[in-house]
Amino acid sequence: FTLRYYQREAADATMAALSRRKNPVVTLPTGSGKSATAAEIVFRVISQSPQGARIVVVAPSRELVQQDEAALLRYFQPEHVGVVCASLNRREGDRQILVGTPQSLAGTIDFDPAVVVVDEAHLMPLHKKSWFARLFAGLPRRRRTPRAGLTATSFRTADGAIFGPGGWFNYQAYEISARELIARGYLAPMRYIEPAALMTVEGVAVTAGDFNQGQLVTANIDRVAAQVELILKAMEGRDRAMIFAVTVEHARAFQQAFADNGERCELIIGDMSANDRTAAVDAFKSRQSRIAVTVAAALTGFDVPEIDLIASCRPTKSAIIHTQSIGRGTRVAKGKSDCIVLDFAGNVRRFGPIISPNFDASGQSRLSTAPWRPCPSCGTFAREEAWTCQHCGERLRGRAPREKAPLEITPINFRRAAKAVEKLVRQQGLCHHVVHDFALEGHEKRDHPGSFSVRLKFDLGGHAIVYQWEKDLTSDRWARIWWAFCGDDPAPHSFEEAFGRRHELVRPLVVSIERDGPFWRVVSLRHRERAAA
């Protein structure tokens, strides 16, 4: 068994971090082989530890437990690897290496693990009553037990980045992008399409940070039949399709609509019996059915490389749900040229494609909408600046190449923003203001038409917004600003380049400010991940 270069690098970085008494996390895109990387880490820890050392591998679902076990069996004999998972009816707690779900492992471990390896680490909640917390509470060293995490999304929707002060992990040891792995052929190319029969969120309330599921279904249930027709048409020449629905009711509506069209569709949901769920998964994997519909059961640990069509039918405010669902189609397979994403949910407009995500390291949106739009002819998404659709060749109304102002020029209410900042400073002082939103925009002076600059926007909440301008993008000052927000080196030297690379910038967690004449300016900032390093 030969590791890919990035899996080897991730294992190297993890071992180096563990040797420095860090609790590292590595970020690898969905489909890139996290189970193989986890097995390599376990093998290295065992090889470098005193004889008799034992390790625990934690995974959030039985499917992932089975994947992690299979990866470990490439390195170890079966008598050394045990599974502890109630839904698999296996409790092999006497083995050197244990693999299981947190709810099955909690309270059952009677030894001091050398390391706990956590697969899908973003599903590890911080609150003390979680199964992960209960698991660690039962270990001899409790939360001092060394641990290493693997994830495709290094943040939680509610908590932000999963590494940093107070988190389960305190260091991001390694990260590689989906863009690089697609370019190198380790992941399948993706094509995003905005079809007809789009879903609506009009009038749908937001509950616990996401669209109310019941209201979403009510508002969109009558669109299922039309969506099924479009999915069947798109399936011509394709192998396997996975549909992500809002609720079980919504998923069953899809299953019935496919049946009405003479197409078998497997239902894969969490509340199925173990036998029924296994039968449905096996039928889909063996192509007895070429279409499956799920809600959340297949978001993680569902490994069917032949999936070459994703139908996104779950509008969400969660970048994790968007990324994980699309990730079901990123694996490479024989005869698979690409995977298409039918974005009925409108999530690409919110979060962008996986090669250019419209959210930062904490999961917060960079811009109100992603800088991508669909071709009016074929629906394929392209960058806003594109003048030609790369799929069908249709001429697009791209941004005219302007020498001075290729950025979005948006009006601002500077007076209201400045007054709100003054009020905020009177109440809270100058330091450590939480940044609710951050963006790079274009600015044109009202009294000097044609005079353009880059504008950085720091939204501190309650209409309190600090704006900073930079006109000379060739200066050292601009380079320092760009790097301060985690932009890649070298910094862009033109407005057009800055606009095209604005997705690189990461929203700071907090900023400190001071008055600069009639304006306010940021004098220091902190990113959560930089504090963790």
Side-chain angles (χ1 to χ4, degrees):
F1 176 66
T2 302
L3 290 176
R4 297 170 176 175
Y5 79 94
Y6 60 87
Q7 294 169 326
R8 185 173 58 255
E9 290 175 352
D12 290 343
T14 299
M15 295 304 296
L18 288 171
S19 70
R20 301 197 305 272
R21 300 184 182 278
K22 300 281 190 179
N23 294 318
V25 63
V26 299
T27 305
L28 301 173
T30 300
S32 61
K34 289 188 289 296
S35 292
T37 307
E40 174 70 14
I41 293 169
V42 171
F43 175 75
R44 294 193 191 188
V45 172
I46 291 289
S47 300
Q48 298 176 20
S49 299
Q51 188 173 4
R54 300 179 70 180
I55 291 180
V56 175
V57 179
V58 188
S61 68
R62 67 177 190 171
E63 288 83 7
L64 269 176
V65 168
Q66 291 173 311
Q67 285 185 32
D68 289 338
E69 179 195 21
L72 286 164
L73 290 175
R74 295 173 174 173
Y75 290 84
F76 302 96
Q77 294 298 317
E79 60 266 24
H80 294 296
V81 181
V83 170
V84 180
C85 181
S87 62
L88 293 173
N89 198 28
R90 295 176 65 182
R91 292 194 177 277
E92 302 153 358
D94 59 342
R95 310 290 174 85
Q96 182 180 15
I97 303 163
L98 301 187
V99 190
T101 57
Q103 48 268 58
S104 295
L105 287 166
T108 67
I109 300 174
D110 58 359
F111 60 89
D112 185 13
V115 172
V116 175
V117 177
V118 183
D119 198 355
E120 300 295 351
H122 66 280
L123 295 178
M124 195 169 177
L126 291 174
H127 62 82
K128 295 180 179 180
K129 293 184 179 180
S130 73
W131 284 110
F132 284 100
R134 296 181 191 181
L135 189 160
F136 276 87
L139 300 179
R141 285 182 283 176
R142 297 179 177 270
R143 284 191 62 140
R144 295 192 303 275
T145 305
R147 50 194 174 271
L150 301 96
T151 183
T153 47
S154 57
F155 57 87
R156 286 178 56 79
T157 301
D159 304 322
I162 63 174
F163 54 94
W168 286 106
F169 308 96
N170 56 18
Y171 181 65
Q172 185 173 44
Y174 186 81
E175 181 179 19
I176 194 166
S177 69
R179 179 189 293 274
E180 178 173 341
L181 297 189
I182 289 174
R184 290 176 176 258
Y186 293 111
L187 294 179
M190 309 293 288
R191 180 160 69 93
Y192 304 84
I193 300 172
E194 184 172 271
L198 292 176
M199 301 178 74
T200 181
V201 295
E202 185 176 354
V204 175
V206 175
T207 304
D210 207 348
F211 295 116
N212 181 280
Q213 294 186 350
Q215 293 180 17
L216 268 179
V217 173
T218 300
N220 291 282
I221 197 75
D222 61 345
R223 306 177 191 218
V224 169
Q227 290 165 349
V228 164
E229 291 183 5
L230 291 169
I231 293 169
L232 288 172
K233 183 177 180 180
M235 277 296 292
E236 295 177 6
R238 298 209 162 256
D239 196 298
R240 234 70 62 90
M242 172 65 75
I243 301 156
F244 286 90
V246 180
T247 63
V248 172
E249 175 193 356
H250 195 214
R252 292 189 186 281
F254 273 103
Q255 186 183 39
Q256 183 59 53
F258 279 111
D260 293 342
N261 281 271
E263 183 79 33
R264 176 177 171 179
C265 172
E266 298 299 332
L267 180 69
I268 302 173
I269 54 177
D271 61 358
M272 299 173 70
S273 70
N275 289 337
D276 288 347
R277 184 166 160 183
T278 298
V281 171
D282 289 346
F284 184 58
K285 287 185 174 181
S286 64
R287 211 177 186 276
Q288 297 174 46
S289 300
R290 60 178 188 153
I291 299 174
V293 60
T294 187
V295 178
L299 276 176
T300 58
F302 193 81
D303 187 6
V304 183
E306 294 80 9
I307 293 174
D308 54 4
L309 187 151
I310 298 290
S312 177
C313 300
R314 180 182 178 177
T316 181
K317 287 181 172 289
S318 168
I320 291 177
I321 292 174
H322 170 67
T323 302
Q324 294 283 0
S325 59
I326 288 177
R328 298 308 104 198
T330 58
R331 289 171 172 82
V332 294
K334 185 177 179 180
K336 177 178 174 179
S337 59
D338 66 2
C339 177
I340 63 173
V341 177
L342 298 181
D343 185 31
F344 294 103
N347 291 330
V348 174
R349 287 184 180 264
R350 297 184 189 96
F351 302 112
I354 59 172
I355 62 169
S356 183
N358 184 43
F359 49 86
D360 62 22
S362 68
Q364 296 293 318
S365 297
R366 299 182 188 280
L367 303 168
S368 58
T369 58
W372 294 74
R373 60 179 178 173
C375 167
S377 179
C378 69
T380 299
F381 276 91
R383 296 280 312 189
E384 287 181 346
E385 308 85 28
W387 284 88
T388 305
C389 175
Q390 293 185 352
H391 179 68
C392 71
E394 177 78 8
R395 182 75 171 173
L396 303 177
R397 293 183 178 180
R399 294 182 176 275
R402 294 172 286 178
E403 294 183 2
K404 294 185 177 180
L407 298 178
E408 286 183 287
I409 306 299
T410 54
I412 61 174
N413 189 333
F414 174 76
R415 182 173 296 179
R416 184 179 69 171
K419 286 185 176 180
V421 173
E422 289 178 4
K423 181 179 179 181
L424 182 66
V425 168
R426 286 196 301 270
Q427 294 173 342
Q428 301 181 22
L430 295 168
C431 300
H432 309 304
H433 292 286
V434 174
V435 179
H436 296 268
D437 192 19
F438 169 73
L440 182 149
E441 304 170 335
H443 182 78
E444 181 179 16
K445 288 186 177 181
R446 291 182 179 179
D447 53 348
H448 291 86
S451 177
F452 300 103
S453 61
V454 167
R455 184 175 70 218
L456 297 176
K457 170 187 171 183
F458 305 84
D459 188 341
L460 308 182
H463 303 299
I465 302 174
V466 174
Y467 294 103
Q468 287 190 204
W469 293 265
E470 187 62 38
K471 191 175 183 66
D472 183 5
L473 303 193
T474 63
S475 67
D476 291 341
R477 167 189 162 88
W478 165 248
R480 289 192 297 271
I481 291 173
W482 182 262
W483 298 332
F485 295 100
C486 305
D488 294 338
D489 189 22
H493 287 171
S494 69
F495 293 114
E496 182 176 12
E497 186 184 1
F499 178 73
R501 292 173 55 191
R502 58 184 174 175
H503 62 278
E504 297 175 13
L505 303 185
V506 176
R507 177 181 61 89
L509 178 66
V510 295
V511 296
S512 297
I513 61 177
E514 70 177 15
R515 185 179 286 281
D516 184 13
F519 307 103
W520 294 91
R521 67 186 182 96
V522 172
V523 294
S524 68
L525 56 91
R526 178 165 62 85
H527 289 99
R528 188 189 300 265
E529 66 275 23
R530 290 192 168 183

